[in-house]
Amino acid sequence: MRILQSTALALVLGATTAYATTTEITIGMQLEPPNLDPTGGAAAAIDEVVYSNVFEGLTRFGSDGSVNPGLASHWDISEDGLTYTFYLQEGVMFHDGTSFTAEDAVFSLDRARAEGSTNAQAALFASIATTEAVDDATLVVTLSEPNGSFLFNMAWGDAVMVAPESAETNATNPVGTGPFMFSEWVQGDRVELVRNEDYWAAPVALERATFQFISDPNAAFAAMMAGDVDAFPVFPAPETLAQFEANPMFNVIVGSTEGETILSTNNMADNLSDVRVRQAIAHAINRQDIIDGAMFGYGTPIGTHFAPHNPDYLDLTGMSEFNPDRARELLAEAGAEGITLRLMLPPPAYARRGGEIVASQLRDVGIDVEISNLEWAQWLEQVFRGRDFDLTIVSHTEPADIGIYAREDYYFQYQNPEFNAVMDELNLTTDPADRTALLHQAQTIISEDYVNGYLFQLAKTGVANANIEGLWENSPTQANDLTGVRWTD
């Protein structure tokens, strides 16, 4: 073992010397995206490749979660909050050489909000009443009612701008306006991007970026140690981080994400429609055991669907404290002792490892659990779209997405008019203090309804060659934004 480690270190030393003077980078990812169109898929891995690299929106997220100008250089908002006038950047072209104009923005927004839209976050566009291209550089969007989150919504990956000439083939041949252009997708292995030499803004430092898909944590560790991968922003083997921390050839980057990791629950399933059963499940769960066992101590316990780093977070972990005796009492009250639940687990380590721990904890209070390990595409089809499940574990990485609980067609199948009314009021509210109060109310409602088992906020644990700078520490959205990444001397 010591010989192998010494050999690996020699490889790393050699790799560092070779790569530090180049303008190419290889980024490791555990999951391969099902397609490359952020407007036509729910998988976080899509945005991890293309957000801000290939595709851009009117606004964009900064690394600190701020909403910044994107393809819109600035904007005006009418006094009644209904009309947004966006002034577009000059000289922007799509990668196929066609110009980006306000007509393309109209097309993108109308396509996303159209009936039958394949956009996974079509609700982001629900408040849009009309769109108008006043001229090539001026877009006017009129809302049906004020929406205090509208500029925030336009920064999501689901709201990027696409062209009518290429929109239908973006899944396999993405054409955007970003600083990188799509080069090649070797399915099962990698996606390659090259620098866009005609980019409208300052050129990026990197000439080529490769996203390498490595699902096995042991293989990810070996690839980093050998220098085959330069950075793994979401490293799938947190148990090995101490080895990287002790090695000066690497930086270990620990931050936070928007990923609420939850035991998602089908609220319409026969055994789960009774709130007492859902409450029993919540009290059967020991969050810290899951964080320690599945994430090796990385993660923050949560009691509702909200990120602890958000200033509007309300700590409700006490609502679902670990209390197995109370769980057994609730199951008895509901006549649900000995029920069997199906736990469907997607590929990420937090789900597979965490699922085994959750299943053991539920069995301890008298709930039988049948585990099925699903590949990502199967999970999307059966669980997310088909709603054929009882329980699943997944990190919801979309930013500030508590509004999904107002979507009655969402895979939780949760329905509560009181919660919906709070969301409606929030959309009409711009005063920060009033919005905080409403968000606290929303967090409390879903916590008291035990809609899901709230486990932990996913930590962002990354590893990178020490000569790389500019990688995001935190993840305000699911992205590997390479626009500011460079090798140092």
Side-chain angles (χ1 to χ4, degrees):
M1 180 62 70
R2 290 177 182 169
I3 294 174
L4 289 173
Q5 288 177 337
S6 298
T7 302
L9 180 57
L11 286 170
V12 170
L13 287 168
T16 302
T17 302
Y19 282 124
T21 57
T22 73
T23 55
E24 299 184 4
I25 195 169
T26 298
I27 301 291
M29 288 175 53
Q30 187 176 21
L31 296 179
E32 180 175 14
N35 67 69
L36 297 174
D37 179 6
T39 71
I46 301 172
D47 279 355
E48 288 175 4
V49 173
V50 301
Y51 184 85
S52 285
N53 297 326
V54 176
F55 290 104
E56 300 173 301
L58 296 173
T59 60
R60 56 160 292 166
F61 291 116
S63 61
D64 60 353
S66 59
V67 176
N68 302 314
L71 290 176
S73 62
H74 60 290
W75 47 83
D76 296 327
I77 306 173
S78 62
E79 289 188 8
D80 60 7
L82 293 177
T83 303
Y84 287 71
T85 303
F86 293 97
Y87 302 96
L88 306 183
Q89 304 280 4
E90 296 181 359
V92 179
M93 292 192 301
F94 285 99
H95 299 151
D96 61 3
T98 59
S99 296
F100 167 71
T101 69
E103 289 288 354
D104 295 302
V106 168
F107 168 79
S108 299
L109 296 177
D110 287 352
R111 175 174 176 263
R113 68 192 185 97
E115 184 177 351
S117 168
T118 60
N119 194 297
Q121 302 294 339
L124 295 174
F125 313 93
S127 63
I128 297 177
T130 62
T131 57
E132 179 188 1
V134 176
D135 53 44
D136 282 353
T138 310
L139 167 71
V140 175
V141 178
T142 303
L143 307 183
S144 56
E145 57 187 13
N147 185 342
S149 300
F150 184 65
L151 293 174
F152 180 90
N153 292 348
M154 292 301 98
W156 284 45
D158 308 82
V160 297
M161 298 290 101
V162 297
E165 296 87 351
S166 51
E168 296 308 312
T169 56
N170 277 336
T172 55
N173 183 30
V175 175
T177 60
F180 292 93
M181 300 189 299
F182 172 72
S183 175
E184 184 180 18
W185 182 5
V186 180
Q187 295 200 4
D189 185 43
R190 67 189 186 276
V191 167
E192 296 183 3
L193 307 180
V194 295
R195 185 164 63 191
N196 176 14
E197 301 297 344
D198 296 318
Y199 186 50
W200 58 271
V204 292
L206 299 171
E207 293 180 356
R208 179 177 293 272
T210 299
F211 292 89
Q212 191 77 46
F213 309 123
I214 306 174
S215 60
D216 180 70
N218 293 325
F221 174 79
M224 280 301 309
M225 291 298 292
D228 295 333
V229 170
D230 302 315
F232 221 119
V234 183
F235 192 63
E239 67 274 18
T240 65
L241 289 177
Q243 296 180 59
F244 290 108
E245 287 177 332
N247 190 327
M249 297 298 102
F250 299 100
N251 281 334
V252 173
I253 307 167
V254 179
S256 64
T257 76
E258 288 292 320
E260 291 83 22
T261 306
I262 60 178
L263 181 66
S264 299
T265 304
N266 186 345
N267 283 241
M268 291 293 184
D270 290 341
N271 288 319
L272 294 168
S273 59
D274 189 323
V275 67
R276 293 172 296 182
V277 176
R278 302 195 300 271
Q279 185 179 357
I281 291 171
H283 286 306
I285 293 171
N286 186 325
R287 298 183 184 91
Q288 196 59 51
D289 281 354
I290 299 168
I291 293 171
D292 292 340
M295 300 304 298
F296 299 89
Y298 294 98
T300 305
I302 56 173
T304 188
H305 196 109
F306 220 76
H309 58 257
N310 191 300
D312 293 325
Y313 174 72
L314 188 63
D315 185 358
L316 295 170
T317 50
M319 290 285 300
S320 51
E321 64 182 355
F322 178 54
N323 189 338
D325 289 337
R326 179 58 178 151
R328 295 184 189 98
E329 291 173 2
L330 287 162
L331 289 171
E333 290 175 15
E337 302 114 310
I339 60 172
T340 298
L341 298 176
R342 299 171 301 150
L343 176 59
M344 312 298 195
L345 300 175
Y350 68 76
R352 296 283 173 87
R353 292 171 177 164
E356 294 291 343
I357 298 169
V358 166
S360 176
Q361 293 175 349
L362 295 183
R363 289 169 185 142
D364 283 346
V365 301
I367 297 175
D368 190 25
V369 179
E370 297 176 350
I371 292 178
S372 295
N373 291 328
L374 307 181
E375 292 306 310
W376 192 244
Q378 186 182 4
W379 186 92
L380 288 170
E381 184 63 30
Q382 181 173 344
V383 177
F384 188 75
R385 287 189 285 266
R387 307 179 193 119
D388 179 14
F389 76 108
D390 294 323
L391 303 170
T392 187
I393 294 178
V394 69
S395 279
H396 279 254
T397 56
E398 295 83 3
D401 62 342
I402 195 171
I404 58 179
Y405 288 77
R407 293 166 54 181
E408 295 182 0
D409 62 341
Y410 206 62
Y411 79 108
F412 307 150
Q413 301 200 81
Y414 171 63
Q415 299 179 11
N416 186 331
E418 180 187 0
F419 181 88
N420 297 354
V422 172
M423 287 293 101
D424 289 342
E425 188 174 353
L426 181 69
N427 286 336
L428 300 175
T429 302
T430 56
D431 180 77
D434 291 341
R435 287 181 63 82
T436 295
L438 289 167
L439 285 168
H440 283 183
Q441 188 177 350
Q443 292 171 64
T444 302
I445 291 172
I446 62 172
S447 182
E448 291 177 342
D449 279 350
Y450 298 92
V451 183
N452 294 307
Y454 300 104
L455 305 180
F456 60 89
Q457 196 71 14
L458 191 68
K460 186 174 188 290
T461 52
V463 180
N465 185 296
N467 288 336
I468 294 173
E469 65 178 17
L471 291 168
W472 281 8
E473 176 179 325
N474 300 314
S475 288
T477 189
Q478 56 266 53
N480 291 312
D481 183 345
L482 300 180
T483 55
V485 174
R486 67 182 64 244
W487 289 90
T488 61
D489 294 332

